[in-house]
Amino acid sequence: MWSVRYTARLATLLGAVLLTLGASGLAVAIAVASPAIYMGGSVVAGMGVGLTFNGNLRAISAVTTAKSRSEVLSAVYVISYAALSLPALAAGLAAPSWGLETTGYLYVGFVGALSLGAALHAGRSRAHMPTGDPARTGWESRPRSERSRC
Protein backbone atom coordinates (compact mmCIF):
# COMPACT_ATOMS: atom_id res chain seq x y z
CA MET A 1 0.00 0.00 0.00
CA TRP A 2 2.98 2.27 0.61
CA SER A 3 4.08 2.03 -3.01
CA VAL A 4 0.90 3.53 -4.51
CA ARG A 5 2.06 6.95 -3.37
CA TYR A 6 4.92 6.70 -5.86
CA THR A 7 5.09 6.41 -9.60
CA ALA A 8 5.81 2.94 -10.91
CA ARG A 9 9.31 4.07 -11.85
CA LEU A 10 10.05 5.59 -8.44
CA ALA A 11 8.65 2.54 -6.62
CA THR A 12 10.92 0.33 -8.71
CA LEU A 13 13.93 2.56 -8.06
CA LEU A 14 13.30 2.82 -4.32
CA GLY A 15 12.66 -0.93 -4.12
CA ALA A 16 15.89 -1.75 -5.91
CA VAL A 17 17.84 0.56 -3.59
CA LEU A 18 16.21 -1.04 -0.52
CA LEU A 19 16.93 -4.52 -1.87
CA THR A 20 20.58 -3.57 -2.40
CA LEU A 21 20.82 -2.18 1.14
CA GLY A 22 19.05 -5.24 2.55
CA ALA A 23 21.44 -7.60 0.76
CA SER A 24 24.36 -5.60 2.15
CA GLY A 25 22.85 -5.89 5.63
CA LEU A 26 22.58 -9.65 5.20
CA ALA A 27 26.25 -9.87 4.22
CA VAL A 28 27.19 -7.86 7.31
CA ALA A 29 24.99 -10.12 9.44
CA ILE A 30 26.82 -13.19 8.14
CA ALA A 31 30.20 -11.57 8.82
CA VAL A 32 29.43 -10.57 12.41
CA ALA A 33 27.00 -13.42 13.17
CA SER A 34 24.25 -11.05 14.29
CA PRO A 35 20.63 -12.26 14.30
CA ALA A 36 19.41 -8.66 14.82
CA ILE A 37 21.26 -7.36 11.76
CA TYR A 38 20.05 -10.38 9.81
CA MET A 39 16.42 -9.62 10.72
CA GLY A 40 16.88 -5.93 9.85
CA GLY A 41 18.49 -6.75 6.51
CA SER A 42 15.71 -9.23 5.76
CA VAL A 43 13.01 -6.65 6.48
CA VAL A 44 14.71 -4.00 4.33
CA ALA A 45 15.28 -6.49 1.50
CA GLY A 46 11.66 -7.66 1.74
CA MET A 47 10.40 -4.08 1.50
CA GLY A 48 12.59 -3.67 -1.56
CA VAL A 49 11.22 -6.78 -3.22
CA GLY A 50 7.65 -5.62 -2.56
CA LEU A 51 8.20 -2.11 -3.91
CA THR A 52 10.08 -3.32 -6.96
CA PHE A 53 7.53 -6.00 -7.78
CA ASN A 54 4.60 -3.61 -7.34
CA GLY A 55 6.25 -0.89 -9.43
CA ASN A 56 7.04 -3.33 -12.21
CA LEU A 57 3.52 -4.78 -12.23
CA ARG A 58 2.02 -1.30 -12.47
CA ALA A 59 4.35 -0.33 -15.31
CA ILE A 60 3.62 -3.54 -17.20
CA SER A 61 -0.13 -3.18 -16.67
CA ALA A 62 -0.02 0.36 -18.00
CA VAL A 63 1.53 -0.66 -21.32
CA THR A 64 -0.49 -3.81 -22.03
CA THR A 65 -3.92 -3.91 -23.60
CA ALA A 66 -6.88 -5.21 -21.65
CA LYS A 67 -7.07 -8.13 -24.07
CA SER A 68 -3.51 -9.34 -23.41
CA ARG A 69 -3.04 -8.21 -19.80
CA SER A 70 -3.94 -11.55 -18.20
CA GLU A 71 -1.51 -13.48 -20.40
CA VAL A 72 1.30 -10.99 -19.86
CA LEU A 73 0.84 -10.85 -16.08
CA SER A 74 0.65 -14.65 -15.90
CA ALA A 75 4.00 -14.85 -17.67
CA VAL A 76 5.42 -12.20 -15.33
CA TYR A 77 4.36 -14.22 -12.28
CA VAL A 78 5.86 -17.45 -13.63
CA ILE A 79 9.15 -15.73 -14.47
CA SER A 80 9.19 -13.90 -11.12
CA TYR A 81 8.69 -17.07 -9.10
CA ALA A 82 11.41 -18.81 -11.10
CA ALA A 83 13.73 -15.83 -10.55
CA LEU A 84 13.09 -15.99 -6.80
CA SER A 85 13.25 -19.75 -6.35
CA LEU A 86 16.03 -20.92 -8.68
CA PRO A 87 18.85 -18.96 -6.98
CA ALA A 88 17.65 -20.17 -3.57
CA LEU A 89 17.58 -23.75 -4.88
CA ALA A 90 21.07 -23.35 -6.32
CA ALA A 91 22.31 -21.99 -2.98
CA GLY A 92 20.79 -24.97 -1.18
CA LEU A 93 22.57 -27.35 -3.53
CA ALA A 94 25.89 -25.46 -3.25
CA ALA A 95 25.92 -25.16 0.55
CA PRO A 96 27.07 -28.75 1.29
CA SER A 97 30.07 -28.34 -1.03
CA TRP A 98 31.04 -24.71 -0.45
CA GLY A 99 29.83 -24.25 3.10
CA LEU A 100 26.95 -22.17 4.35
CA GLU A 101 28.97 -19.01 4.96
CA THR A 102 30.58 -18.93 1.49
CA THR A 103 27.27 -19.78 -0.15
CA GLY A 104 25.56 -17.03 1.84
CA TYR A 105 28.11 -14.45 0.73
CA LEU A 106 27.78 -15.55 -2.90
CA TYR A 107 23.98 -15.48 -2.71
CA VAL A 108 23.67 -12.02 -1.17
CA GLY A 109 26.43 -10.77 -3.48
CA PHE A 110 24.47 -12.05 -6.48
CA VAL A 111 21.23 -10.47 -5.21
CA GLY A 112 23.02 -7.24 -4.33
CA ALA A 113 24.68 -6.98 -7.75
CA LEU A 114 21.40 -7.60 -9.56
CA SER A 115 19.49 -5.11 -7.43
CA LEU A 116 22.22 -2.49 -7.79
CA GLY A 117 22.06 -2.95 -11.57
CA ALA A 118 18.28 -2.59 -11.43
CA ALA A 119 18.59 0.57 -9.31
CA LEU A 120 21.03 2.10 -11.78
CA HIS A 121 18.77 1.17 -14.69
CA ALA A 122 15.65 2.54 -12.99
CA GLY A 123 17.46 5.71 -11.98
CA ARG A 124 18.48 6.71 -15.50
CA SER A 125 17.60 10.23 -16.50
CA ARG A 126 13.92 10.83 -17.19
CA ALA A 127 14.98 13.03 -20.08
CA HIS A 128 15.24 9.91 -22.21
CA MET A 129 11.63 8.94 -21.51
CA PRO A 130 8.85 10.02 -23.89
CA THR A 131 6.16 12.33 -22.57
CA GLY A 132 3.17 10.48 -21.18
CA ASP A 133 5.19 7.41 -20.29
CA PRO A 134 2.92 4.99 -18.38
CA ALA A 135 5.72 4.31 -15.90
CA ARG A 136 5.25 7.86 -14.64
CA THR A 137 1.63 7.34 -13.69
CA GLY A 138 1.21 7.29 -9.97
CA TRP A 139 -0.08 9.14 -6.96
CA GLU A 140 0.91 12.62 -8.10
CA SER A 141 -0.66 12.17 -11.54
CA ARG A 142 -4.08 11.40 -10.08
CA PRO A 143 -6.67 14.17 -9.82
CA ARG A 144 -6.46 16.09 -6.55
CA SER A 145 -9.96 14.95 -5.57
CA GLU A 146 -8.91 11.30 -5.88
CA ARG A 147 -5.72 11.86 -3.85
CA SER A 148 -7.62 13.49 -1.02
CA ARG A 149 -9.95 10.48 -0.70
CA CYS A 150 -7.10 8.05 -0.01
Side-chain angles (χ1 to χ4, degrees), residues 40-86:
S42 296
V43 168
V44 171
M47 289 171 44
V49 168
L51 277 170
T52 303
F53 192 68
N54 181 278
N56 284 324
L57 285 181
R58 289 188 352 225
I60 291 167
S61 292
V63 296
T64 56
T65 64
K67 184 177 180 181
S68 66
R69 191 166 294 130
S70 62
E71 291 94 357
V72 171
L73 290 178
S74 294
V76 167
Y77 274 100
V78 169
I79 292 168
S80 296
Y81 279 109
L84 288 170
S85 63
L86 292 178

mmCIF file of all heavy atoms in Angstrom, residues 40-86:
data_model
loop_
_atom_site.group_PDB
_atom_site.id
_atom_site.type_symbol
_atom_site.label_atom_id
_atom_site.label_comp_id
_atom_site.label_asym_id
_atom_site.label_seq_id
_atom_site.Cartn_x
_atom_site.Cartn_y
_atom_site.Cartn_z
ATOM 1 N N GLY A 40 17.004 -7.268 10.443
ATOM 2 C CA GLY A 40 16.877 -5.935 9.851
ATOM 3 C C GLY A 40 17.129 -5.955 8.351
ATOM 4 O O GLY A 40 16.374 -5.357 7.576
ATOM 5 N N GLY A 41 18.187 -6.633 7.942
ATOM 6 C CA GLY A 41 18.490 -6.753 6.515
ATOM 7 C C GLY A 41 17.385 -7.469 5.761
ATOM 8 O O GLY A 41 17.043 -7.099 4.630
ATOM 9 N N SER A 42 16.805 -8.491 6.387
ATOM 10 C CA SER A 42 15.705 -9.232 5.757
ATOM 11 C C SER A 42 14.478 -8.351 5.573
ATOM 12 O O SER A 42 13.815 -8.397 4.530
ATOM 13 C CB SER A 42 15.336 -10.455 6.598
ATOM 14 O OG SER A 42 16.404 -11.362 6.645
ATOM 15 N N VAL A 43 14.169 -7.544 6.580
ATOM 16 C CA VAL A 43 13.007 -6.646 6.485
ATOM 17 C C VAL A 43 13.227 -5.608 5.381
ATOM 18 O O VAL A 43 12.343 -5.369 4.554
ATOM 19 C CB VAL A 43 12.722 -5.973 7.842
ATOM 20 C CG1 VAL A 43 11.731 -4.832 7.706
ATOM 21 C CG2 VAL A 43 12.214 -7.001 8.841
ATOM 22 N N VAL A 44 14.407 -5.007 5.349
ATOM 23 C CA VAL A 44 14.708 -4.002 4.334
ATOM 24 C C VAL A 44 14.681 -4.632 2.936
ATOM 25 O O VAL A 44 14.097 -4.078 2.001
ATOM 26 C CB VAL A 44 16.060 -3.313 4.616
ATOM 27 C CG1 VAL A 44 16.497 -2.424 3.459
ATOM 28 C CG2 VAL A 44 15.980 -2.510 5.903
ATOM 29 N N ALA A 45 15.287 -5.799 2.794
ATOM 30 C CA ALA A 45 15.276 -6.486 1.503
ATOM 31 C C ALA A 45 13.850 -6.863 1.099
ATOM 32 O O ALA A 45 13.478 -6.727 -0.069
ATOM 33 C CB ALA A 45 16.161 -7.734 1.555
ATOM 34 N N GLY A 46 13.052 -7.313 2.037
ATOM 35 C CA GLY A 46 11.662 -7.659 1.743
ATOM 36 C C GLY A 46 10.844 -6.463 1.295
ATOM 37 O O GLY A 46 10.028 -6.554 0.379
ATOM 38 N N MET A 47 11.074 -5.315 1.939
ATOM 39 C CA MET A 47 10.404 -4.085 1.499
ATOM 40 C C MET A 47 10.829 -3.738 0.078
ATOM 41 O O MET A 47 10.013 -3.309 -0.743
ATOM 42 C CB MET A 47 10.716 -2.941 2.456
ATOM 43 C CG MET A 47 10.045 -3.078 3.800
ATOM 44 S SD MET A 47 10.585 -1.899 5.064
ATOM 45 C CE MET A 47 10.636 -0.366 4.224
ATOM 46 N N GLY A 48 12.090 -3.938 -0.210
ATOM 47 C CA GLY A 48 12.594 -3.667 -1.556
ATOM 48 C C GLY A 48 11.968 -4.567 -2.595
ATOM 49 O O GLY A 48 11.580 -4.110 -3.674
ATOM 50 N N VAL A 49 11.839 -5.851 -2.283
ATOM 51 C CA VAL A 49 11.217 -6.782 -3.216
ATOM 52 C C VAL A 49 9.766 -6.370 -3.474
ATOM 53 O O VAL A 49 9.307 -6.333 -4.619
ATOM 54 C CB VAL A 49 11.282 -8.237 -2.684
ATOM 55 C CG1 VAL A 49 10.398 -9.162 -3.492
ATOM 56 C CG2 VAL A 49 12.717 -8.735 -2.695
ATOM 57 N N GLY A 50 9.047 -6.020 -2.412
ATOM 58 C CA GLY A 50 7.649 -5.623 -2.564
ATOM 59 C C GLY A 50 7.490 -4.369 -3.409
ATOM 60 O O GLY A 50 6.644 -4.321 -4.311
ATOM 61 N N LEU A 51 8.284 -3.347 -3.133
ATOM 62 C CA LEU A 51 8.200 -2.112 -3.910
ATOM 63 C C LEU A 51 8.571 -2.335 -5.370
ATOM 64 O O LEU A 51 7.894 -1.839 -6.277
ATOM 65 C CB LEU A 51 9.128 -1.040 -3.314
ATOM 66 C CG LEU A 51 8.593 -0.244 -2.149
ATOM 67 C CD1 LEU A 51 9.701 0.592 -1.516
ATOM 68 C CD2 LEU A 51 7.469 0.657 -2.597
ATOM 69 N N THR A 52 9.642 -3.065 -5.598
ATOM 70 C CA THR A 52 10.081 -3.321 -6.963
ATOM 71 C C THR A 52 9.042 -4.118 -7.732
ATOM 72 O O THR A 52 8.704 -3.788 -8.866
ATOM 73 C CB THR A 52 11.427 -4.065 -6.962
ATOM 74 O OG1 THR A 52 12.375 -3.287 -6.240
ATOM 75 C CG2 THR A 52 11.940 -4.304 -8.363
ATOM 76 N N PHE A 53 8.516 -5.152 -7.107
ATOM 77 C CA PHE A 53 7.527 -6.000 -7.775
ATOM 78 C C PHE A 53 6.274 -5.199 -8.088
ATOM 79 O O PHE A 53 5.750 -5.248 -9.198
ATOM 80 C CB PHE A 53 7.209 -7.215 -6.897
ATOM 81 C CG PHE A 53 6.429 -8.275 -7.600
ATOM 82 C CD1 PHE A 53 6.989 -9.008 -8.629
ATOM 83 C CD2 PHE A 53 5.122 -8.549 -7.230
ATOM 84 C CE1 PHE A 53 6.271 -9.991 -9.279
ATOM 85 C CE2 PHE A 53 4.397 -9.532 -7.874
ATOM 86 C CZ PHE A 53 4.980 -10.253 -8.902
ATOM 87 N N ASN A 54 5.795 -4.416 -7.131
ATOM 88 C CA ASN A 54 4.597 -3.607 -7.343
ATOM 89 C C ASN A 54 4.822 -2.571 -8.433
ATOM 90 O O ASN A 54 3.969 -2.386 -9.308
ATOM 91 C CB ASN A 54 4.175 -2.934 -6.041
ATOM 92 C CG ASN A 54 2.929 -2.121 -6.211
ATOM 93 O OD1 ASN A 54 2.993 -0.972 -6.670
ATOM 94 N ND2 ASN A 54 1.795 -2.700 -5.862
ATOM 95 N N GLY A 55 5.951 -1.891 -8.403
ATOM 96 C CA GLY A 55 6.246 -0.889 -9.434
ATOM 97 C C GLY A 55 6.309 -1.500 -10.818
ATOM 98 O O GLY A 55 5.774 -0.946 -11.785
ATOM 99 N N ASN A 56 6.950 -2.657 -10.910
ATOM 100 C CA ASN A 56 7.040 -3.325 -12.207
ATOM 101 C C ASN A 56 5.679 -3.802 -12.699
ATOM 102 O O ASN A 56 5.366 -3.672 -13.884
ATOM 103 C CB ASN A 56 8.020 -4.492 -12.148
ATOM 104 C CG ASN A 56 9.451 -4.021 -12.153
ATOM 105 O OD1 ASN A 56 9.797 -3.054 -12.809
ATOM 106 N ND2 ASN A 56 10.295 -4.698 -11.399
ATOM 107 N N LEU A 57 4.859 -4.344 -11.816
ATOM 108 C CA LEU A 57 3.522 -4.781 -12.227
ATOM 109 C C LEU A 57 2.686 -3.610 -12.719
ATOM 110 O O LEU A 57 1.965 -3.721 -13.718
ATOM 111 C CB LEU A 57 2.798 -5.488 -11.081
ATOM 112 C CG LEU A 57 3.244 -6.904 -10.763
ATOM 113 C CD1 LEU A 57 2.403 -7.472 -9.620
ATOM 114 C CD2 LEU A 57 3.131 -7.803 -11.981
ATOM 115 N N ARG A 58 2.780 -2.481 -12.035
ATOM 116 C CA ARG A 58 2.019 -1.300 -12.466
ATOM 117 C C ARG A 58 2.508 -0.798 -13.819
ATOM 118 O O ARG A 58 1.708 -0.414 -14.671
ATOM 119 C CB ARG A 58 2.108 -0.201 -11.416
ATOM 120 C CG ARG A 58 1.322 -0.552 -10.180
ATOM 121 C CD ARG A 58 1.198 0.562 -9.172
ATOM 122 N NE ARG A 58 1.981 1.742 -9.440
ATOM 123 C CZ ARG A 58 2.692 2.378 -8.540
ATOM 124 N NH1 ARG A 58 2.731 1.963 -7.299
ATOM 125 N NH2 ARG A 58 3.367 3.454 -8.841
ATOM 126 N N ALA A 59 3.806 -0.791 -14.026
ATOM 127 C CA ALA A 59 4.352 -0.334 -15.306
ATOM 128 C C ALA A 59 3.945 -1.273 -16.442
ATOM 129 O O ALA A 59 3.573 -0.820 -17.523
ATOM 130 C CB ALA A 59 5.872 -0.226 -15.229
ATOM 131 N N ILE A 60 4.012 -2.561 -16.183
ATOM 132 C CA ILE A 60 3.622 -3.540 -17.201
ATOM 133 C C ILE A 60 2.136 -3.440 -17.496
ATOM 134 O O ILE A 60 1.712 -3.462 -18.660
ATOM 135 C CB ILE A 60 4.021 -4.968 -16.769
ATOM 136 C CG1 ILE A 60 5.542 -5.112 -16.783
ATOM 137 C CG2 ILE A 60 3.366 -6.011 -17.662
ATOM 138 C CD1 ILE A 60 6.058 -6.354 -16.091
ATOM 139 N N SER A 61 1.319 -3.302 -16.476
ATOM 140 C CA SER A 61 -0.128 -3.182 -16.672
ATOM 141 C C SER A 61 -0.478 -1.954 -17.495
ATOM 142 O O SER A 61 -1.414 -1.975 -18.292
ATOM 143 C CB SER A 61 -0.845 -3.100 -15.324
ATOM 144 O OG SER A 61 -0.744 -4.316 -14.644
ATOM 145 N N ALA A 62 0.274 -0.890 -17.294
ATOM 146 C CA ALA A 62 -0.015 0.357 -18.000
ATOM 147 C C ALA A 62 0.273 0.276 -19.495
ATOM 148 O O ALA A 62 -0.315 1.014 -20.272
ATOM 149 C CB ALA A 62 0.786 1.502 -17.383
ATOM 150 N N VAL A 63 1.165 -0.597 -19.899
ATOM 151 C CA VAL A 63 1.530 -0.665 -21.322
ATOM 152 C C VAL A 63 0.932 -1.866 -22.044
ATOM 153 O O VAL A 63 1.187 -2.043 -23.226
ATOM 154 C CB VAL A 63 3.066 -0.645 -21.513
ATOM 155 C CG1 VAL A 63 3.646 0.667 -21.020
ATOM 156 C CG2 VAL A 63 3.728 -1.827 -20.843
ATOM 157 N N THR A 64 0.153 -2.677 -21.367
ATOM 158 C CA THR A 64 -0.490 -3.807 -22.027
ATOM 159 C C THR A 64 -1.955 -3.485 -22.281
ATOM 160 O O THR A 64 -2.572 -2.699 -21.574
ATOM 161 C CB THR A 64 -0.402 -5.095 -21.188
ATOM 162 O OG1 THR A 64 -0.975 -4.854 -19.904
ATOM 163 C CG2 THR A 64 1.018 -5.562 -21.034
ATOM 164 N N THR A 65 -2.499 -4.102 -23.298
ATOM 165 C CA THR A 65 -3.917 -3.913 -23.601
ATOM 166 C C THR A 65 -4.747 -4.789 -22.675
ATOM 167 O O THR A 65 -4.255 -5.788 -22.135
ATOM 168 C CB THR A 65 -4.223 -4.288 -25.058
ATOM 169 O OG1 THR A 65 -3.961 -5.686 -25.233
ATOM 170 C CG2 THR A 65 -3.373 -3.469 -26.028
ATOM 171 N N ALA A 66 -5.993 -4.427 -22.509
ATOM 172 C CA ALA A 66 -6.881 -5.209 -21.650
ATOM 173 C C ALA A 66 -6.994 -6.646 -22.165
ATOM 174 O O ALA A 66 -7.095 -7.587 -21.380
ATOM 175 C CB ALA A 66 -8.259 -4.564 -21.590
ATOM 176 N N LYS A 67 -6.939 -6.809 -23.461
ATOM 177 C CA LYS A 67 -7.073 -8.134 -24.068
ATOM 178 C C LYS A 67 -5.895 -9.057 -23.726
ATOM 179 O O LYS A 67 -6.079 -10.249 -23.496
ATOM 180 C CB LYS A 67 -7.192 -7.990 -25.584
ATOM 181 C CG LYS A 67 -7.438 -9.272 -26.299
ATOM 182 C CD LYS A 67 -7.623 -9.043 -27.791
ATOM 183 C CE LYS A 67 -7.866 -10.351 -28.492
ATOM 184 N NZ LYS A 67 -8.023 -10.170 -29.925
ATOM 185 N N SER A 68 -4.692 -8.500 -23.648
ATOM 186 C CA SER A 68 -3.506 -9.337 -23.412
ATOM 187 C C SER A 68 -2.985 -9.272 -21.982
ATOM 188 O O SER A 68 -2.052 -9.982 -21.641
ATOM 189 C CB SER A 68 -2.387 -8.932 -24.367
ATOM 190 O OG SER A 68 -1.937 -7.628 -24.075
ATOM 191 N N ARG A 69 -3.580 -8.436 -21.148
ATOM 192 C CA ARG A 69 -3.036 -8.208 -19.805
ATOM 193 C C ARG A 69 -2.956 -9.490 -18.979
ATOM 194 O O ARG A 69 -1.966 -9.729 -18.300
ATOM 195 C CB ARG A 69 -3.866 -7.158 -19.069
ATOM 196 C CG ARG A 69 -3.215 -6.689 -17.790
ATOM 197 C CD ARG A 69 -3.855 -5.437 -17.246
ATOM 198 N NE ARG A 69 -3.627 -4.329 -18.170
ATOM 199 C CZ ARG A 69 -4.587 -3.516 -18.619
ATOM 200 N NH1 ARG A 69 -5.813 -3.650 -18.213
ATOM 201 N NH2 ARG A 69 -4.284 -2.560 -19.468
ATOM 202 N N SER A 70 -3.967 -10.334 -19.024
ATOM 203 C CA SER A 70 -3.939 -11.552 -18.200
ATOM 204 C C SER A 70 -2.815 -12.489 -18.626
ATOM 205 O O SER A 70 -2.140 -13.067 -17.776
ATOM 206 C CB SER A 70 -5.287 -12.267 -18.240
ATOM 207 O OG SER A 70 -5.592 -12.684 -19.558
ATOM 208 N N GLU A 71 -2.590 -12.612 -19.933
ATOM 209 C CA GLU A 71 -1.507 -13.476 -20.405
ATOM 210 C C GLU A 71 -0.147 -12.916 -20.006
ATOM 211 O O GLU A 71 0.738 -13.648 -19.561
ATOM 212 C CB GLU A 71 -1.561 -13.647 -21.930
ATOM 213 C CG GLU A 71 -2.742 -14.453 -22.412
ATOM 214 C CD GLU A 71 -3.916 -13.579 -22.804
ATOM 215 O OE1 GLU A 71 -3.839 -12.332 -22.648
ATOM 216 O OE2 GLU A 71 -4.936 -14.133 -23.247
ATOM 217 N N VAL A 72 0.019 -11.618 -20.181
ATOM 218 C CA VAL A 72 1.302 -10.987 -19.859
ATOM 219 C C VAL A 72 1.592 -11.098 -18.365
ATOM 220 O O VAL A 72 2.698 -11.477 -17.959
ATOM 221 C CB VAL A 72 1.317 -9.510 -20.323
ATOM 222 C CG1 VAL A 72 2.557 -8.792 -19.806
ATOM 223 C CG2 VAL A 72 1.250 -9.425 -21.842
ATOM 224 N N LEU A 73 0.610 -10.791 -17.527
ATOM 225 C CA LEU A 73 0.842 -10.854 -16.079
ATOM 226 C C LEU A 73 1.040 -12.288 -15.599
ATOM 227 O O LEU A 73 1.809 -12.524 -14.665
ATOM 228 C CB LEU A 73 -0.292 -10.167 -15.325
ATOM 229 C CG LEU A 73 -0.315 -8.643 -15.485
ATOM 230 C CD1 LEU A 73 -1.499 -8.040 -14.745
ATOM 231 C CD2 LEU A 73 0.971 -8.012 -15.023
ATOM 232 N N SER A 74 0.394 -13.249 -16.241
ATOM 233 C CA SER A 74 0.649 -14.652 -15.896
ATOM 234 C C SER A 74 2.099 -15.021 -16.186
ATOM 235 O O SER A 74 2.753 -15.680 -15.368
ATOM 236 C CB SER A 74 -0.283 -15.576 -16.686
ATOM 237 O OG SER A 74 -1.609 -15.395 -16.297
ATOM 238 N N ALA A 75 2.594 -14.588 -17.328
ATOM 239 C CA ALA A 75 3.995 -14.852 -17.672
ATOM 240 C C ALA A 75 4.935 -14.154 -16.687
ATOM 241 O O ALA A 75 5.944 -14.724 -16.270
ATOM 242 C CB ALA A 75 4.283 -14.387 -19.098
ATOM 243 N N VAL A 76 4.596 -12.935 -16.292
ATOM 244 C CA VAL A 76 5.419 -12.200 -15.332
ATOM 245 C C VAL A 76 5.490 -12.958 -14.012
ATOM 246 O O VAL A 76 6.565 -13.090 -13.425
ATOM 247 C CB VAL A 76 4.873 -10.763 -15.115
ATOM 248 C CG1 VAL A 76 5.515 -10.102 -13.902
ATOM 249 C CG2 VAL A 76 5.092 -9.927 -16.360
ATOM 250 N N TYR A 77 4.359 -13.471 -13.537
ATOM 251 C CA TYR A 77 4.356 -14.216 -12.275
ATOM 252 C C TYR A 77 5.197 -15.490 -12.370
ATOM 253 O O TYR A 77 5.967 -15.799 -11.455
ATOM 254 C CB TYR A 77 2.929 -14.551 -11.837
ATOM 255 C CG TYR A 77 2.282 -13.448 -11.060
ATOM 256 C CD1 TYR A 77 1.397 -12.569 -11.665
ATOM 257 C CD2 TYR A 77 2.568 -13.264 -9.714
ATOM 258 C CE1 TYR A 77 0.804 -11.538 -10.952
ATOM 259 C CE2 TYR A 77 1.994 -12.238 -8.988
ATOM 260 C CZ TYR A 77 1.105 -11.381 -9.610
ATOM 261 O OH TYR A 77 0.540 -10.368 -8.898
ATOM 262 N N VAL A 78 5.080 -16.217 -13.466
ATOM 263 C CA VAL A 78 5.863 -17.451 -13.629
ATOM 264 C C VAL A 78 7.360 -17.127 -13.638
ATOM 265 O O VAL A 78 8.148 -17.769 -12.935
ATOM 266 C CB VAL A 78 5.449 -18.203 -14.916
ATOM 267 C CG1 VAL A 78 6.427 -19.321 -15.247
ATOM 268 C CG2 VAL A 78 4.042 -18.753 -14.778
ATOM 269 N N ILE A 79 7.739 -16.110 -14.393
ATOM 270 C CA ILE A 79 9.154 -15.732 -14.469
ATOM 271 C C ILE A 79 9.640 -15.219 -13.114
ATOM 272 O O ILE A 79 10.751 -15.529 -12.680
ATOM 273 C CB ILE A 79 9.375 -14.691 -15.582
ATOM 274 C CG1 ILE A 79 9.144 -15.351 -16.942
ATOM 275 C CG2 ILE A 79 10.758 -14.078 -15.507
ATOM 276 C CD1 ILE A 79 9.037 -14.382 -18.102
ATOM 277 N N SER A 80 8.803 -14.440 -12.430
ATOM 278 C CA SER A 80 9.190 -13.905 -11.122
ATOM 279 C C SER A 80 9.413 -15.006 -10.097
ATOM 280 O O SER A 80 10.387 -14.979 -9.342
ATOM 281 C CB SER A 80 8.121 -12.935 -10.605
ATOM 282 O OG SER A 80 8.027 -11.821 -11.457
ATOM 283 N N TYR A 81 8.512 -15.980 -10.060
ATOM 284 C CA TYR A 81 8.691 -17.071 -9.103
ATOM 285 C C TYR A 81 9.921 -17.898 -9.439
ATOM 286 O O TYR A 81 10.641 -18.330 -8.536
ATOM 287 C CB TYR A 81 7.442 -17.937 -9.029
ATOM 288 C CG TYR A 81 6.388 -17.330 -8.151
ATOM 289 C CD1 TYR A 81 5.226 -16.800 -8.688
ATOM 290 C CD2 TYR A 81 6.565 -17.239 -6.766
ATOM 291 C CE1 TYR A 81 4.266 -16.214 -7.874
ATOM 292 C CE2 TYR A 81 5.625 -16.657 -5.952
ATOM 293 C CZ TYR A 81 4.471 -16.147 -6.514
ATOM 294 O OH TYR A 81 3.539 -15.559 -5.707
ATOM 295 N N ALA A 82 10.192 -18.097 -10.713
ATOM 296 C CA ALA A 82 11.411 -18.812 -11.098
ATOM 297 C C ALA A 82 12.643 -18.011 -10.686
ATOM 298 O O ALA A 82 13.611 -18.570 -10.159
ATOM 299 C CB ALA A 82 11.427 -19.083 -12.595
ATOM 300 N N ALA A 83 12.599 -16.693 -10.903
ATOM 301 C CA ALA A 83 13.734 -15.833 -10.553
ATOM 302 C C ALA A 83 13.977 -15.808 -9.046
ATOM 303 O O ALA A 83 15.116 -15.652 -8.609
ATOM 304 C CB ALA A 83 13.491 -14.410 -11.065
ATOM 305 N N LEU A 84 12.927 -15.965 -8.251
ATOM 306 C CA LEU A 84 13.090 -15.993 -6.800
ATOM 307 C C LEU A 84 13.514 -17.366 -6.287
ATOM 308 O O LEU A 84 14.279 -17.468 -5.341
ATOM 309 C CB LEU A 84 11.786 -15.579 -6.118
ATOM 310 C CG LEU A 84 11.411 -14.102 -6.226
ATOM 311 C CD1 LEU A 84 9.999 -13.879 -5.718
ATOM 312 C CD2 LEU A 84 12.391 -13.245 -5.451
ATOM 313 N N SER A 85 13.008 -18.414 -6.905
ATOM 314 C CA SER A 85 13.252 -19.749 -6.353
ATOM 315 C C SER A 85 14.515 -20.423 -6.879
ATOM 316 O O SER A 85 15.173 -21.145 -6.131
ATOM 317 C CB SER A 85 12.040 -20.646 -6.610
ATOM 318 O OG SER A 85 11.835 -20.821 -8.002
ATOM 319 N N LEU A 86 14.871 -20.219 -8.127
ATOM 320 C CA LEU A 86 16.032 -20.923 -8.679
ATOM 321 C C LEU A 86 17.353 -20.543 -7.994
ATOM 322 O O LEU A 86 18.151 -21.434 -7.689
ATOM 323 C CB LEU A 86 16.101 -20.740 -10.192
ATOM 324 C CG LEU A 86 14.967 -21.430 -10.964
ATOM 325 C CD1 LEU A 86 15.086 -21.149 -12.463
ATOM 326 C CD2 LEU A 86 14.954 -22.923 -10.690
#
